[in-house]
Amino acid sequence: LQEFSAEERDPVKITEGWGVMFACSPPPHYPGLSYRWLLNEFPNFIPADGRRFVSQTTGNLYIAKTEASDLGNYSCFATSHIDFITKSVFSKFSRLSLAAEDARQYAPSIKARFPADTYALAGQMVTLECFAFGNPVPQIKWRKLDGSQSSKWIGSEPLLQIQDVGFEDEGTYECEAENIKGRDTYQGRIIIQAQPEWLEVITDTEADIGSDLRWSCAAAGKPRPTVRWLRDGQPLTSQNRIEVSGGELRFSKLVLEDSGMYQCVAENKHGTVYASAELTVQALAPDFRLNPVKRLIPAARSGKVIIPCQPRAAPKATVLWTKGTELLINSSRVTITADGTLILQNISKSDEGKYTCFAENFMGKANSTGILSVRDATKITLAPSSADINVGENLTLQCHASHDPTMDLTFTWSLDDFPIDFDKSEGHYRRASVKEAIGDLSIFNTQLKHSGRYTCTAQTVVDSASESAMLTVRGPPGSPGGVVVRDISDTTVQLSWSRGFDNHSPIARYIVEARTLLSSKWKQMRTNPVNIEGNAETAQVVNLIPWMDYEFRVLASNILGVGEPSLPSSKIRTKEAAPTVAPSGLSGGGGAPNELIINWTPTLRDYQNGDGFGYILSFRKKGTQGWLTARVPHAESLHYVYRNESIGPYTPFEVKIRAYNRKGEGPESLTAIVYSAEEEPKVAPFRVMAKAVLSSEMDVSWEPVEQGDMTGVLLGYEIRYWKDGDKEEAADRVRTAGLVTSAHVTGLNPNTKYHVSVRAYNRAGTGPPSPSTNVTTTKPPPKRPPGNISWTFSGSTVSIKWDPVVAKADESTVTGYKMLYRQDSHSAPTLYLASKSRIDIPVPEDFTHAFVQIRVTGPGGDGIPAEVHILRNSGTSMMVEDSVTRPAPHVAIITTNSLVMVALISYLEL
């Protein structure tokens, strides 16, 4: 790859919106290059984005429609790849200037074109380029004029690439550039050629002297290859005994000098291929060393024996046979074939003896001798019997034989003349006995494929005997064939089919199944007649869904079961009909003022019955006479909004719905009551009362609004509460559901005054507030836990004392104490209440220790607990852990006598 020219490149000026081409003009190079373009500087390469295209044939840059962003300097960047070496060079920059103007649209004009004739070798990849100027940027499409698009096409837009191109890809291709202003096309041919490829070749050959030989070779290619011949590397032409004719080479009366290395050469302009073979011409006296007559030749009485005579000889030897000193000639029992093989038939004991083969040619002579020994013949003594069984049953075919005891006997079985391979029978075939004279065959779990003629062959090295029996396996019928659908109506079709195999048991009846585009599951269909007899080959399918795509299949059955289904029929669509089912799920309500919203469940495809599906709504204000109607197109529609200034809030309407399609209207649904849009409640609750419960909680109650005053369905009440000094807009809110008239509010601040109001609400919003009331939460409980805890034991009682807790000014008063008592970590805790700072607790005699929590209680709630571990041999406080972080347990109270015991509800970890 040499360098680009050092000459400066001319600037390009064009009106914005028009197309432009920059020529690359690459320097001298070999082999091909890959091209990219730089904009302003390296490595700012221009992407191929549909508007811009770099030809890999010429290197030229094409811009279909220039834009303001294209302004700048352009350089062609060429890269050469040779083995592992890469070299790149780039050209001088050429500046693009744009004249601003309102860009007008114009039709495409193809600028980058592939050649009119593109030649390619089979197996290579072919790339065609096509790019057009235009505004808007044209879309590029490809088509093959004399064929369809191939799966081997890859890429799109400016490039068409065909991988592994073959002769089927040859033809005329068209590139089409199109935008809203017009189109432009260009056509060119792809012509496929191929290097020579052998169809037939010569192979190494040994031939006898004086014989004739014909060699041939053939090659495919495009253009058609020429064929020539070489012998020992030199051109070979017709002469004397040798005839050369294209791909054929003929020798007459071979001589030793014809031996050598021969080559067949096929060539065209794309390449050359060679086929080589060695010819060896032989001249040999007869020689039995490689193939002597077999020394011992066993034969069966009354049977036949074949004794080959195959000495190595060139030319072919003349053969004679003798028995002892007797020359053998062809007779009714003796045959000597043209290749010298001796065949003896109907053998008897008198045929035993020495047999000698004599071979002779002009190079010399030789002989070889074998001894014939006659043995007892093999006979089948118990032949297999024909049988008739059902699929899945087991069977044993018997086969016993007698044979010459001096030889081994083997049994083989075949089915319809194909040998049975026991190792590949998947467990269906097994030998029933290991005794030499018994060859019984057991067949397990028989299948239809096991029907046929079974042949048992008992064989020794000298003869064999065979007997056959027929096995018939009965089973469910085979699949019917050729299901055809005709006479298609809206709910019926006529099916016909051809009869399948009955598998040796008469077909009793047929079953028709179908599936639709909505489900891949096959379902049995109703037919006319209801029961299709086994001799029928047609039936009507009824109760189909109108305007539905169906596939059908047929199954045959007999007393042994249902057979395999037929292949599915071609897909059909039943004819259209008016809807037969009314839409369901009619309801409504909600929306904006003066609106009536009607909802329903969209009708499934199964019930649409035809194209152009929609809904017809009928509605009227309850108590009036005339009906209003509205048509709502599209099957997927699910609501309708009717607006009218005269519609009052929460007004009841009677509503009906029916479906329609282009074949007519369906039945109407039952009438439903739907209310128009609600309005916010107009009245407020009254007699609102609030009571502080703990320092952070309060109870609120009120008198409900009257249902007769509502303009909608009452959903519940909203409690708003805000601190004294805050604005109501900053109030916190709690909502109740239903008709309850009280609420418990938590999360309040202690010792704080709150304002409380209540509103009713429905789907339209909240109503006016009630007059507000005030409540002040109690002070919080003392933060200090009881201290100086001690205890004393007296028999079965433990007395626990502690220092009283005195509330501060900002804390609620102390009204008593709560003590949580637990014997150990596994026992259930017990809660005691005490009004003073001591308490007596009964304990068992074997008491050793317990865990105790003590805290104050009062109007502000429970205080922080002090936790101690009581030991019998100690009477002072032992703090178990920092109890400040302990949460107060939630408890249920049980009162007994002077003590109050409480069962713990929430688990408290000690």
Side-chain angles (χ1 to χ4, degrees):
L1 173 61
Q2 298 182 18
E3 298 291 332
F4 275 96
S5 168
E7 293 183 9
E8 295 293 332
R9 298 205 169 195
D10 294 334
V12 176
K13 185 171 183 180
I14 196 167
T15 302
E16 184 177 339
W18 288 87
V20 67
M21 185 271 286
F22 287 93
C24 179
S25 304
H29 59 274
Y30 182 84
L33 302 177
S34 61
Y35 299 95
R36 290 184 289 175
W37 279 77
L38 295 169
L39 176 58
N40 294 326
E41 61 183 356
F42 182 88
N44 186 21
F45 291 106
I46 296 174
D49 54 7
R51 189 175 65 87
R52 295 172 289 189
F53 172 65
V54 177
S55 169
Q56 296 303 310
T57 302
T58 63
N60 296 342
L61 168 64
Y62 298 85
I63 303 177
K65 184 194 76 162
T66 53
E67 298 176 352
S69 60
D70 295 324
L71 190 68
N73 299 306
Y74 290 80
S75 171
C76 181
F77 189 88
T79 302
S80 170
H81 304 275
I82 303 176
D83 295 329
F84 298 104
I85 302 174
T86 300
K87 180 182 179 182
S88 299
V89 295
F90 56 89
S91 69
K92 290 287 187 177
F93 282 89
S94 176
R95 181 162 185 80
L96 174 63
S97 301
L98 299 177
E101 185 177 302
D102 290 339
R104 69 176 182 86
Q105 297 182 335
Y106 61 95
S109 175
I110 295 177
K111 297 299 182 181
R113 303 179 174 186
F114 55 97
D117 289 328
T118 299
Y119 291 87
L121 285 180
Q124 295 181 339
M125 177 181 284
V126 175
T127 300
L128 305 182
E129 296 183 343
C130 181
F131 192 74
F133 293 172
N135 185 10
V137 175
Q139 295 292 314
I140 305 295
K141 296 180 182 177
W142 293 90
R143 66 175 62 88
K144 187 169 185 269
L145 297 185
D146 43 7
S148 58
Q149 178 172 332
S150 168
S151 60
K152 296 187 292 184
W153 291 17
I154 57 176
S156 59
E157 295 292 325
L159 295 180
L160 171 62
Q161 293 181 306
I162 307 174
Q163 56 185 355
D164 190 22
V165 70
F167 289 102
E168 70 278 5
D169 298 308
E170 192 170 71
T172 302
Y173 289 78
E174 180 181 81
C175 159
E176 177 188 83
E178 184 178 17
N179 65 14
I180 59 175
K181 300 300 290 183
R183 59 192 289 267
D184 190 14
T185 62
Y186 174 75
Q187 296 176 0
R189 292 190 306 157
I190 292 180
I191 301 169
I192 307 300
Q193 299 195 332
Q195 296 174 338
E197 183 178 347
W198 286 119
L199 302 175
E200 182 182 359
V201 296
I202 55 176
T203 58
D204 292 343
T205 302
E206 292 181 350
D208 294 345
I209 191 169
S211 64
D212 297 337
L213 175 66
R214 174 183 172 273
W215 261 348
S216 65
C217 60
K222 190 177 179 182
R224 182 187 297 275
T226 59
V227 179
R228 55 190 177 89
W229 291 85
L230 304 175
R231 180 171 65 186
D232 295 332
Q234 301 301 317
L236 182 64
T237 57
S238 297
Q239 51 182 292
N240 298 329
R241 297 171 299 98
I242 301 175
E243 180 184 353
V244 178
S245 177
E248 286 201 352
L249 175 62
R250 295 189 180 91
F251 295 87
S252 300
K253 300 186 184 308
L254 285 167
V255 297
L256 293 174
E257 290 75 14
D258 291 329
S259 297
M261 182 63 70
Y262 290 79
Q263 288 178 296
C264 179
V265 185
E267 54 193 346
N268 65 12
K269 65 180 182 179
H270 298 299
T272 303
V273 291
Y274 294 82
S276 303
E278 183 178 10
L279 173 61
T280 304
V281 180
Q282 298 178 325
L284 301 170
D287 186 349
F288 281 97
R289 284 177 294 181
L290 291 179
N291 292 303
V293 174
K294 192 174 180 182
R295 296 295 297 166
L296 179 62
I297 308 166
R301 193 188 307 273
S302 301
K304 179 174 75 171
V305 68
I306 299 173
I307 310 174
C309 179
Q310 298 174 334
R312 188 180 182 194
K316 182 180 177 181
T318 302
V319 173
L320 297 174
W321 279 93
T322 64
K323 178 190 175 189
T325 58
E326 176 190 357
L327 180 66
L328 298 177
I329 59 174
N330 285 335
S331 66
S332 60
R333 294 179 55 245
V334 179
T335 302
I336 301 174
T337 65
D339 66 353
T341 299
L342 174 64
I343 302 175
L344 302 177
Q345 301 191 65
N346 195 19
I347 290 173
S348 64
K349 198 72 175 175
S350 62
D351 292 321
E352 288 188 331
K354 292 184 178 181
Y355 288 79
T356 304
C357 173
F358 292 89
E360 182 179 1
N361 65 12
F362 76 88
M363 296 290 293
K365 60 180 67 177
N367 63 75
S368 181
T369 299
I371 299 173
L372 178 66
S373 174
V374 178
R375 311 290 176 88
D376 291 338
T378 302
K379 296 179 181 179
I380 299 291
T381 58
L382 180 59
S385 300
S386 295
D388 188 333
I389 62 175
N390 294 333
V391 167
E393 294 181 348
N394 303 330
L395 173 73
T396 296
L397 296 176
Q398 294 181 310
C399 184
H400 299 184
S402 63
H403 66 294
D404 191 297
T406 63
M407 292 180 291
D408 293 332
L409 177 69
T410 58
F411 288 91
T412 59
W413 285 86
S414 63
L415 172 58
D416 295 332
D417 298 326
F418 289 96
I420 294 175
D421 187 336
F422 289 85
D423 294 332
K424 297 181 180 178
S425 69
E426 299 176 346
H428 290 292
Y429 294 119
R430 295 181 199 166
R431 297 192 184 276
S433 175
V434 294
K435 295 182 179 179
E436 185 182 27
I438 300 177
D440 295 354
L441 173 68
S442 292
I443 310 175
F444 297 93
N445 187 23
T446 52
Q447 303 298 307
L448 293 171
K449 64 182 179 180
H450 296 140
S451 293
R453 181 169 58 88
Y454 284 81
T455 301
C456 171
T457 301
Q459 188 168 11
T460 66
V461 294
V462 296
D463 69 338
S464 63
S466 299
E467 291 289 345
S468 298
M470 291 299 300
L471 174 62
T472 300
V473 181
R474 303 183 186 277
S479 58
V483 179
V484 176
V485 188
R486 54 186 174 83
D487 299 341
I488 302 170
S489 73
D490 55 350
T491 59
T492 65
V493 298
Q494 193 73 27
L495 287 190
S496 61
W497 58 88
S498 58
R499 183 184 181 87
F501 293 111
D502 63 8
N503 290 330
H504 313 295
S505 180
I507 297 174
R509 61 189 291 261
Y510 287 98
I511 301 168
V512 175
E513 293 182 338
R515 65 182 178 189
T516 69
L517 59 80
L518 304 176
S519 172
S520 60
K521 185 178 180 181
W522 291 94
K523 296 181 180 179
Q524 185 171 342
M525 306 303 292
R526 293 181 180 272
T527 59
N528 181 22
V530 176
N531 293 314
I532 307 172
E533 299 295 332
N535 58 357
E537 293 187 5
T538 183
Q540 186 184 49
V541 186
V542 300
N543 291 0
L544 299 177
I545 300 171
W547 196 56
M548 181 60 67
D549 292 335
Y550 281 98
E551 287 179 300
F552 298 92
R553 70 181 186 184
V554 180
L555 302 89
S557 66
N558 58 20
I559 59 173
L560 297 175
V562 179
E564 291 295 315
S566 68
L567 292 175
S569 69
S570 57
K571 195 173 292 184
I572 63 98
R573 175 173 287 186
T574 51
K575 292 185 178 179
E576 296 177 282
T580 56
V581 176
S584 61
L586 196 57
S587 62
N594 309 120
E595 284 185 352
L596 172 66
I597 296 181
I598 303 172
N599 302 323
W600 62 91
T601 302
T603 299
L604 298 177
R605 173 68 174 79
D606 309 44
Y607 305 107
Q608 294 175 17
N609 289 8
D611 202 3
F613 188 86
Y615 305 91
I616 299 175
L617 291 163
S618 301
F619 53 94
R620 66 184 179 187
K621 188 182 297 185
K622 189 174 181 180
T624 61
Q625 295 298 317
W627 290 89
L628 298 173
T629 61
R631 294 174 75 90
V632 183
H634 308 307
E636 61 272 15
S637 299
L638 46 73
H639 72 273
Y640 172 74
V641 180
Y642 172 64
R643 297 180 180 87
N644 194 301
E645 295 295 331
S646 65
I647 299 177
Y650 204 56
T651 302
F653 280 79
E654 295 176 304
V655 180
K656 297 184 292 185
I657 188 171
R658 63 184 182 274
Y660 72 90
N661 60 24
R662 62 185 182 185
K663 282 292 183 179
E665 298 177 2
E668 276 192 329
S669 69
L670 297 175
T671 301
I673 301 298
V674 176
Y675 286 84
S676 63
E678 302 175 25
E679 277 188 344
E680 300 92 340
K682 299 299 183 183
V683 295
F686 57 99
R687 295 181 184 170
V688 176
M689 293 190 298
K691 178 183 179 183
V693 180
L694 295 173
S695 60
S696 60
E697 300 175 13
M698 67 176 172
D699 286 331
V700 181
S701 61
W702 58 90
E703 292 293 331
V705 297
E706 295 292 334
Q707 288 289 344
D709 297 330
M710 294 295 293
T711 53
V713 178
L714 176 67
L715 298 181
Y717 295 91
E718 181 178 276
I719 298 94
R720 299 189 184 184
Y721 55 97
W722 63 99
K723 297 177 185 177
D724 188 34
D726 291 349
K727 294 184 178 179
E728 183 178 356
E729 290 75 9
D732 291 315
R733 306 180 185 192
V734 173
R735 279 195 169 188
T736 66
L739 303 179
V740 299
T741 57
S742 63
H744 185 70
V745 181
T746 61
L748 305 177
N749 292 337
N751 197 23
T752 303
K753 182 179 180 180
Y754 283 90
H755 300 277
V756 181
S757 69
V758 181
R759 304 168 185 243
Y761 71 91
N762 59 19
R763 282 188 290 184
T766 54
S770 68
S772 64
T773 186
N774 302 326
V775 63
T776 301
T777 55
T778 61
K779 298 177 182 179
K783 296 179 180 179
R784 298 176 309 286
N788 196 20
I789 301 172
S790 62
W791 57 89
T792 57
F793 286 91
S794 176
S796 60
T797 301
V798 59
S799 296
I800 304 174
K801 296 188 297 183
W802 56 89
D803 291 343
V805 176
V806 179
K808 296 181 179 180
D810 58 350
E811 295 175 340
S812 63
T813 58
V814 176
T815 60
Y817 298 88
K818 291 181 179 179
M819 186 181 75
L820 187 68
Y821 173 87
R822 186 198 292 266
Q823 185 72 38
D824 54 45
S825 59
H826 302 292
S827 61
T830 305
L831 186 64
Y832 296 93
L833 298 183
S835 59
K836 298 181 180 180
S837 59
R838 63 166 293 146
I839 192 169
D840 294 333
I841 301 174
V843 295
E845 292 292 339
D846 58 351
F847 174 89
T848 58
H849 70 98
F851 295 96
V852 171
Q853 283 186 352
I854 304 172
R855 71 187 76 213
V856 300
T857 185
D862 295 342
I864 298 170
E867 185 172 350
V868 296
H869 186 189
I870 296 176
L871 300 175
R872 180 177 283 276
N873 57 0
S874 174
T876 59
S877 173
M878 296 181 63
M879 304 302 290
V880 175
E881 59 181 57
D882 181 6
S883 59
V884 173
T885 59
R886 287 264 170 219
H890 301 286
V891 296
I893 301 177
I894 306 167
T895 304
T896 61
N897 299 332
S898 60
L899 294 178
V900 179
M901 294 180 290
V902 180
L904 184 66
I905 292 174
S906 64
Y907 180 83
L908 180 62
E909 184 183 74
L910 293 180

